[in-house]
Amino acid sequence: MAHKVIRIVTAVAATALMAFSASAQSLIRDAEIEETIREWTDPILEVSGLVPGDVGIYIINDASLNAFVANGQRIHIHTGLMIAAESPGQIKGVIAHETCHIACGHTVSRGRAASVAMRPALLSIGLGLLAIAAGEGGAGAALIGSSQQFAAINFFTHTRPEEASADAHAVKYLAALGQSPAGIVEFFENFRYQEVMSEARRYPYFRAHPLASDRIRTTRALAEATGLMNVPPTDRELKQYQMLRAKLVGFLDSPVKVRRDYPASDTSQPARYARAISAYRAADIQSALRDINSLLEEEPDNPYFHELKGQILFESGRVADSVEPHKRSLELLPGQPLLLINYARSLNARNDEGDVQLAEAALRDALIAEPDNAFAWAQLAITMEKQGRRPEAQLATAESAYWVGDIVRANSFAHRAVDQLERGTPNYRRADDILLITDPNNPENREFYQRQNRGQRLSIETSSREMPFGDFSRQRP
């Protein structure tokens, strides 16, 4: 009986702890959105004392409103938050707030706070089990059921001062840049109603960042004291925001919502951008090309318009026609890794004389910038195979599998590469490294191999339809 009770306590405690952890969600990659968010974020990181190159920014394909810091210096932003925000200043305010959680050391202190917060939860579980053992099943179930609430209340007691500090620092960072801190105040006030909603119905952001009226008042007072509340966003920032939102709505929302937000009567660039993307997603290629061509007539030097046209042509089967738009996007924005991968993919598919060599050069450049890009490695494997360089293709396949977390497949292809590559070369050493990392005898890898034996192998061959902006994953196992 005692052993059974211990097992139950352990299981329930694990469930309670899971309430504090973020669930695994898919990342999306898009050159335009990433460049925009990075342009807005880097000055904030610099003024906070952080090194921009050390801070990762990840866009999560999730309609819920949320942003958080996790896994070290990594800021995660949900697409739902970017769509819900009403201005570039609101997105910047959230980013500045999350920046403080890194710069102010909150990511370290929160681990300790979570540990302390679990103590009353575990006590509640223990009392509940004792009540059940004593024949009071209803009371015991209530105590166990309320354990997560006790943990959350205790956790927020520790983190509430950190949230207030992050608000104050967000205002400070933006003011130091001469930018308006009104965005963070507007964002909080727009969602003030979250205070009165039940914990289960709140947006994830406000479950982790509990609002309070006095906190909003304090943030507003600090923002007004800067004298910068009425500083408007620049024309460039406003357009970036409008195009960012249009792109997200076009790719992620239904055609009905796109038509509602961007009706045919709206001939602005953001509206045509959203409609072009939505039409492409609905396989209405003629409408998609009509709208993107109209945008290109107005802005022939916009690399992202060329990128989208290339993507539309590629996905509709006009592979040869897709090469030129992708090439042009790189001429306008040299070295951008996602644009390089798009270009290489079209070259691999067209396969004219000299295409595979150009594709290899583009992919090598992309992998210098993003050595963990699984899709780039998969494309490089295709390029190597087309050139008859099978051992290198097998190594590239092993790399691709490794970076999506399929260590079983990575180990298999690394074995094949090691057997054929020249010993002592950099490629041989890398294949040998992958073998060592993915060794089935390593205790840390046993779970993956057991899962492989129980079910179907994870495939690294993903469709571009599964990731709305292209297969440019940067996932670590």
Side-chain angles (χ1 to χ4, degrees), residues 294-432:
S294 73
L295 292 169
L296 281 166
E297 288 175 6
E298 295 174 4
E299 284 192 39
D301 292 336
N302 187 316
Y304 308 116
F305 291 166
H306 288 282
E307 177 200 22
L308 178 59
K309 182 174 182 178
Q311 188 171 354
I312 292 170
L313 291 169
F314 184 91
E315 294 289 343
S316 63
R318 295 169 60 179
V319 172
D321 293 336
S322 73
V323 173
E324 189 56 36
H326 285 314
K327 180 181 178 182
R328 181 58 180 152
S329 72
L330 276 169
E331 291 170 351
L332 295 166
L333 194 61
Q336 214 293 331
L338 300 189
L339 302 187
L340 284 165
I341 297 168
N342 264 329
Y343 177 51
R345 180 175 62 164
S346 287
L347 289 169
N348 271 340
R350 187 175 70 174
N351 202 28
D352 285 353
E353 184 178 355
D355 279 356
V356 290
Q357 289 78 16
L358 290 172
E360 180 183 356
L363 291 167
R364 297 287 186 193
D365 288 344
L367 286 166
I368 290 172
E370 295 189 3
D372 57 352
N373 193 306
F375 187 74
W377 284 113
Q379 286 296 311
L380 185 62
I382 294 171
T383 303
M384 296 294 98
E385 184 69 19
K386 285 178 179 292
Q387 297 179 67
R389 296 155 63 180
R390 176 156 292 184
E392 293 171 80
Q394 290 167 336
L395 173 58
T397 302
E399 290 275 13
S400 182
Y402 173 75
W403 289 114
V404 295
D406 188 352
I407 64 171
V408 179
R409 184 180 174 95
N411 186 272
S412 173
F413 277 91
H415 262 298
R416 301 178 197 182
V418 161
D419 289 342
Q420 300 177 58
L421 289 166
E422 182 181 349
R423 296 182 66 86
T425 61
N427 281 342
Y428 177 90
R429 289 195 294 270
R430 178 55 186 165
D432 195 48

Side-chain angles (χ1 to χ4, degrees), residues 101-141:
H101 285 318
I102 301 174
C104 302
H106 297 164
T107 52
V108 177
S109 60
R110 289 202 169 189
R112 294 193 295 267
S115 177
V116 172
M118 281 309 302
R119 294 172 188 171
L122 294 174
L123 179 61
S124 177
I125 293 168
L127 291 173
L129 291 171
L130 290 174
I132 292 172
E136 295 293 336

Side-chain angles (χ1 to χ4, degrees), residues 66 114 117 159 164 186 224:
N66 200 12
T159 61
E186 294 167 356
E224 289 176 344

Side-chain angles (χ1 to χ4, degrees), residues 44 99 113 116 128 142-143 165 183-185 196 217 228 270 278 282 370 394 422 461 463:
I44 297 172
T99 295
V116 172
L143 283 166
S165 173
I184 188 170
V185 180
V196 299
R217 284 195 299 271
L228 299 170
S278 181
E370 295 189 3
Q394 290 167 336
E422 182 181 349
E461 296 176 1
S463 164

Side-chain angles (χ1 to χ4, degrees), residues 70-92:
N71 300 324
Q73 298 189 66
R74 297 183 182 181
I75 298 173
H76 303 73
I77 309 173
H78 283 202
T79 54
L81 185 145
M82 292 192 284
I83 292 173
E86 298 173 343
S87 69
Q90 290 186 18
I91 298 176
K92 285 185 179 184

Side-chain angles (χ1 to χ4, degrees), residues 83-331:
I83 292 173
E86 298 173 343
S87 69
Q90 290 186 18
I91 298 176
K92 285 185 179 184
V94 171
I95 291 171
H97 177 99
E98 299 304 323
T99 295
C100 175
H101 285 318
I102 301 174
C104 302
H106 297 164
T107 52
V108 177
S109 60
R110 289 202 169 189
R112 294 193 295 267
S115 177
V116 172
M118 281 309 302
R119 294 172 188 171
L122 294 174
L123 179 61
S124 177
I125 293 168
L127 291 173
L129 291 171
L130 290 174
I132 292 172
E136 295 293 336
L143 283 166
I144 293 173
S146 62
S147 62
Q148 290 190 27
Q149 183 179 0
F150 291 150
I153 292 171
N154 199 26
F155 180 72
F156 293 141
T157 298
H158 288 83
T159 61
R160 197 168 288 114
E162 293 178 355
E163 295 302 327
S165 173
D167 295 342
H169 278 81
V171 172
K172 176 183 175 182
Y173 299 154
L174 293 168
L177 295 168
Q179 299 179 17
S180 172
I184 188 170
V185 180
E186 294 167 356
F187 182 77
F188 288 156
E189 290 186 336
N190 284 352
F191 297 97
R192 184 190 290 268
Y193 67 89
Q194 291 281 309
E195 280 188 87
V196 299
M197 297 184 73
S198 68
E199 184 73 13
R201 294 179 61 199
R202 290 182 187 178
Y203 290 126
Y205 186 84
F206 297 106
R207 289 200 295 268
H209 301 70
L211 281 174
S213 295
D214 56 346
R215 176 183 164 197
I216 297 173
R217 284 195 299 271
T218 301
T219 305
R220 171 172 281 281
L222 291 170
E224 289 176 344
T226 65
L228 299 170
M229 287 286 281
N230 296 323
V231 174
T234 65
D235 291 342
R236 175 178 173 82
E237 290 171 342
L238 192 57
K239 182 175 180 180
Q240 285 174 321
Y241 162 75
Q242 291 170 342
M243 300 303 276
L244 175 150
R245 187 182 185 282
K247 197 167 201 177
L248 288 173
V249 170
F251 268 113
L252 301 177
D253 285 333
S254 67
V256 172
K257 186 175 189 306
V258 173
R259 286 194 297 270
R260 186 180 70 233
D261 288 2
Y262 301 99
S265 58
D266 185 350
T267 59
S268 67
Q269 283 195 351
R272 282 178 286 154
Y273 206 24
R275 291 198 298 267
I277 294 166
S278 181
Y280 145 66
R281 297 287 292 168
D284 183 358
I285 303 305
Q286 183 176 355
S287 297
L289 288 173
R290 182 188 65 241
D291 281 327
I292 194 61
N293 283 333
S294 73
L295 292 169
L296 281 166
E297 288 175 6
E298 295 174 4
E299 284 192 39
D301 292 336
N302 187 316
Y304 308 116
F305 291 166
H306 288 282
E307 177 200 22
L308 178 59
K309 182 174 182 178
Q311 188 171 354
I312 292 170
L313 291 169
F314 184 91
E315 294 289 343
S316 63
R318 295 169 60 179
V319 172
D321 293 336
S322 73
V323 173
E324 189 56 36
H326 285 314
K327 180 181 178 182
R328 181 58 180 152
S329 72
L330 276 169
E331 291 170 351

